[in-house]
Amino acid sequence: MTSDIMLSDSTLLPHDDAQYLCSLIRSIPGFPQENILFRDFMPVFADPRGLDLLIQGLVNALPVKPSEFDYIAGLEARGFLIGIALAQKLNKGFIAVRKAGKLPPPVVSQSYDLEYGSATMEIEKDLVPSHSRILIVDDLIATGGTAWAAMKLFESIDCTVSGFSFVMKLDGLDGLAKLENHPTSTMMVMPA
C-alpha cells in the first residue's frame, strides 16, 4: 500500500480491500510542474477489482442519501470517469463540467484559481432543469477552486448543490472551506 495514502474512514471498505485500492495509486513528484506531487489515479481504472472497490467505497462514503440529489456532476477530466460510473451505479443522470471552449453554446462559465494557475469551467446552460439537485464529484480536493467554480455554475442556473464527493483529499490544504458548509465526503486522505 502507498504508505502516505489511507482511507478517511476505516469502515468504508474492508482492510484488505482498502490496502489493495490504495496500492494502485502512484505518486509522481514534479508533475505537472516543480513542487507538485501528482497522484496518478489511472491505474485504478485499469484494474477491474480496483474500479469496483473505488465505486463501492464512494457509495459507502456518500455525503447525502441518493434520494437527496437528481444528477451527478463530474469535473473534467477524472471526475468524468468517476462520476459516470457512480451515476450508473445509483441510477442518476450525469452532467459533465468541462474546461472552457469544449461545449457548444449556450454555456455558463466560471473562472477560478488552481494550485498551479487559473482556469475556466463551463456547463451547457439548458442541459439541467432549474431546481435540480446536484452531487458534484471529482478525484481530488486540494485548494477547492474547481469544486467552488462548479458549485457557482449550478447555482447560477437555479440548481441546488446537495453535496460534494471526492476520492482524495490533500491533508493540510483547506479546500473544503471554500464549499460553504455543503455536505462533503472524501474517501482517502494523503499529505499535501
Side-chain angles (χ1 to χ4, degrees):
M1 180 164 87
T2 304
S3 61
D4 64 343
I5 300 173
M6 60 184 187
L7 292 187
S8 59
D9 180 343
S10 63
T11 65
L12 295 178
L13 292 172
H15 179 73
D16 290 346
D17 290 341
Q19 284 187 313
Y20 183 80
L21 180 62
C22 291
S23 76
L24 297 173
I25 301 168
R26 297 186 316 146
S27 296
I28 303 167
F31 181 82
Q33 68 182 40
E34 194 174 331
N35 299 323
I36 300 291
L37 179 61
F38 182 78
R39 305 301 178 149
D40 182 14
F41 206 72
M42 298 311 282
V44 173
F45 297 115
D47 185 283
R49 178 180 172 203
L51 180 57
D52 185 58
L53 291 172
L54 171 69
I55 299 305
Q56 189 56 56
L58 286 171
V59 168
N60 293 345
L62 282 173
V64 294
K65 296 176 185 173
S67 61
E68 296 179 44
F69 57 92
D70 308 304
Y71 293 93
I72 291 175
L75 307 182
E76 191 164 332
R78 290 176 296 274
F80 294 172
L81 303 170
I82 298 160
I84 287 173
L86 191 59
Q88 191 277 328
K89 177 94 171 170
L90 297 173
N91 196 32
K92 301 291 181 179
F94 175 79
I95 306 299
V97 181
R98 305 279 329 252
K99 293 177 183 173
K102 305 254 182 164
L103 295 171
V107 297
V108 179
S109 301
Q110 179 68 53
S111 295
Y112 64 101
D113 293 324
L114 292 166
E115 302 92 315
Y116 46 86
S118 63
T120 300
M121 301 298 285
E122 296 179 337
I123 57 175
E124 292 182 59
K125 185 176 182 180
D126 301 322
L127 188 62
V128 184
S130 293
H131 310 294
S132 294
R133 301 167 302 162
I134 312 295
L135 177 71
I136 296 174
V137 175
D138 204 4
D139 66 323
L140 175 70
I141 177 105
T143 63
T146 309
W148 176 88
M151 175 180 69
K152 293 302 179 187
L153 284 174
F154 286 107
E155 289 174 351
S156 74
I157 59 168
D158 297 321
C159 290
T160 300
V161 174
S162 297
F164 295 86
S165 178
F166 302 100
V167 175
M168 297 178 275
K169 176 188 180 296
L170 290 181
D171 201 20
L173 296 179
D174 200 18
L176 295 176
K178 284 189 177 175
L179 306 183
E180 302 176 5
N181 296 317
H182 284 79
T184 62
S185 64
T186 55
M187 191 173 152
M188 299 176 187
V189 179
M190 64 201 70

